[in-house]
Amino acid sequence: MAGEMNRKIVLEDGAEYLGFGFGANVSRVCEIVFNTSMAGYQEIVSDPSYTDQMVVMTYPLIGNYGMADEDYETKIPSIGALVVREYNDTPSNFRYTKTLSEVMEEYGIPGIYGVDTRKITRSIRDIGSRKAYICDASTPTDWAMRILQKTTLPTDAVRRVSCQKKWYSRTADAKYNVVAVDCGMKLNIVRSLKERGCNVTVVPYNTTAAEIEAMDPDGVFLSNGPGNPEDVKPVIELVQKLRGKYPMFGICLGHQIIGLAYGAKTMKMKFGHRGGNHPVKNLLTGKIEITSQNHSYAVVPESVAGTGLEITHINLLDNTVEGVRSREDQVFSVQYHPESAPGPQDSGYLFDQFIALMKEAGENA
């Protein structure tokens, strides 16, 4: 690292971390979180669930394989900022088309490297996720603290990242038609459904139940997405109107929304789960899955009783709810990402489970 440190992060508790800038040269207040994945920074940067969040990567070397056109999870990345220990701007990968810094600059995403990411991660783990300000190194600390104090983090992230109008993704010899409600959906979910013979119609988060019923789908999918599930009232109401009418599968934010729609409660976690290494126990089979996760909120276990849902999966690190289902309504959901790319891929069977429900519903129609 040569030259003078030109960027810094200031946290709400007054802690400062000086480093070097990459990506867009803009200042921004975000919620600071950490991710423990060892690969897949392109999927993280382009995952809409990270909207308005400053992500600290615990794996030290980032940027070394560039950015490949086929690997994006959304067409317009909306992550708040990226914090890394060591940034590599000369990728070695025959598939890469741009460097990470070029993509971040293109989409207005600031980055900083050369900071002590281990110390920042411990701070987030001990104190919790909170507001952080990425700015020029010359910014006075008291000025940065004032900006942090007066900035309220937005609550309309789903509205901003959801598609504006419906779009289609078709596959040859399709067996099923799925309507996917886009709350900030990763594109690998669409790919995973298409691989299993589904035509996918992706609709905005505020699509009405009547509009979906008019499409006569075989199943309804509820996507991942950013922010507090309680802020996404149109989708909660949608689930309440459609449950029992179609097989329904939710992932991440979609899982939390299903919980709320049935009367369970959600809570904000101290620092959330982000990374590709969380052990989850499937209570129906007894098997352990290694999973990829990305969320700040969780369904409150005690609130599930009496809702018509049963808990199907739990996190073995902290016993949080990782899956629920209603057998009667053919509704199920998981908190983690079975479509995770580049992996792990222990949980792809959940898409097969959704296909089986649609097949069963079709046979019984």
Side-chain angles (χ1 to χ4, degrees):
M1 296 174 195
E4 205 171 316
M5 291 182 172
N6 58 355
R7 300 289 278 168
K8 70 177 177 181
I9 307 165
V10 183
L11 303 187
E12 276 186 288
D13 57 1
E16 284 191 336
Y17 298 88
L18 283 157
F20 304 88
F22 69 103
N25 186 23
V26 296
S27 299
R28 181 171 296 155
V29 176
C30 307
E31 178 189 27
I32 192 165
V33 299
F34 66 85
N35 186 299
T36 57
S37 298
M38 296 179 70
Y41 61 76
Q42 174 167 351
E43 289 85 351
I44 290 163
V45 166
S46 61
D47 181 348
S49 295
Y50 287 110
T51 302
D52 303 329
Q53 291 182 328
M54 182 185 300
V55 180
V56 180
M57 297 298 296
T58 61
Y59 187 75
L61 177 62
I62 301 295
N64 52 310
Y65 53 83
M67 301 285 271
D69 289 343
E70 301 86 7
D71 294 347
Y72 285 90
E73 291 290 5
T74 187
K75 291 171 183 170
I76 303 175
S78 55
I79 188 173
L82 191 65
V83 182
V84 305
R85 174 62 192 160
E86 183 180 344
Y87 172 66
N88 183 311
D89 204 44
T90 53
S92 176
N93 175 10
F94 73 96
R95 293 175 68 240
Y96 101 93
T97 51
K98 290 180 181 175
T99 68
L100 172 58
S101 185
E102 285 169 343
V103 170
M104 288 171 61
E105 193 172 356
E106 184 178 342
Y107 293 104
I109 302 162
I112 186 170
Y113 71 91
V115 295
D116 188 342
T117 50
R118 291 177 300 179
K119 187 175 180 183
I120 299 171
T121 300
R122 285 198 299 270
S123 168
I124 298 167
R125 184 195 64 193
D126 295 344
I127 302 172
S129 302
R130 54 207 190 277
K131 285 187 287 187
Y133 184 43
I134 184 169
C135 56
D136 194 88
S138 62
T139 306
T141 305
D142 58 347
W143 173 255
M145 292 299 287
R146 276 203 298 275
I147 287 175
L148 281 167
Q149 285 161 10
K150 73 179 186 182
T151 302
T152 303
L153 293 174
T155 58
D156 65 340
V158 169
R159 179 188 64 78
R160 284 181 281 129
V161 298
S162 178
C163 57
Q164 299 303 301
K165 58 181 183 179
K166 70 180 176 185
W167 56 277
Y168 304 94
S169 189
R170 296 184 176 90
T171 189
D173 302 320
K175 299 182 184 70
Y176 304 101
N177 290 303
V178 173
V179 169
V181 182
D182 180 7
C183 299
M185 184 165 60
K186 294 168 66 180
L187 291 176
N188 209 44
I189 289 170
V190 178
R191 298 181 197 115
S192 298
L193 288 167
K194 284 176 65 179
E195 282 168 9
R196 291 165 173 82
C198 297
N199 280 339
V200 184
T201 304
V202 181
V203 299
Y205 80 104
N206 55 358
T207 302
T208 65
E211 288 171 316
I212 289 177
E213 287 180 90
M215 298 176 202
D216 192 26
D218 297 302
V220 175
F221 175 82
L222 304 171
S223 87
N224 63 294
N228 185 342
E230 292 180 17
D231 293 331
V232 199
K233 289 184 172 51
V235 189
I236 298 170
E237 291 165 11
L238 180 73
V239 174
Q240 289 168 337
K241 289 175 181 171
L242 293 182
R243 68 187 188 190
K245 294 184 178 179
Y246 309 100
M248 194 178 291
F249 177 26
I251 287 176
C252 199
L253 183 69
H255 159 78
Q256 297 157 14
I257 285 169
I258 284 173
L260 290 170
Y262 275 82
K265 292 182 169 60
T266 55
M267 62 179 180
K268 177 85 186 276
M269 303 172 78
K270 185 177 180 182
F271 51 82
H273 294 158
R274 289 172 188 84
N277 43 16
H278 283 259
V280 166
K281 184 172 184 177
N282 183 329
L283 300 177
L284 305 176
T285 65
K287 288 184 178 178
I288 311 296
E289 301 162 36
I290 301 303
T291 68
S292 176
Q293 310 224 353
N294 170 19
H295 60 107
S296 294
Y297 293 82
V299 173
V300 178
E302 299 77 22
S303 71
V304 176
T307 61
L309 295 174
E310 65 173 308
I311 297 172
T312 57
H313 298 72
I314 58 164
N315 189 303
L316 292 180
L317 300 179
D318 58 11
N319 289 318
T320 48
V321 177
E322 292 284 356
V324 296
R325 73 171 177 178
S326 166
R327 293 182 73 175
E328 183 185 351
D329 291 342
Q330 293 191 307
V331 171
F332 74 105
S333 63
V334 290
Q335 180 62 78
Y336 53 95
H337 287 272
E339 85 297 341
S340 58
Q345 294 168 349
D346 297 18
S347 311
Y349 72 90
L350 290 158
F351 287 103
D352 300 328
Q353 201 170 296
F354 185 41
I355 301 297
L357 281 180
M358 290 191 286
K359 183 182 179 186
E360 184 186 327
E363 289 169 354
N364 295 336

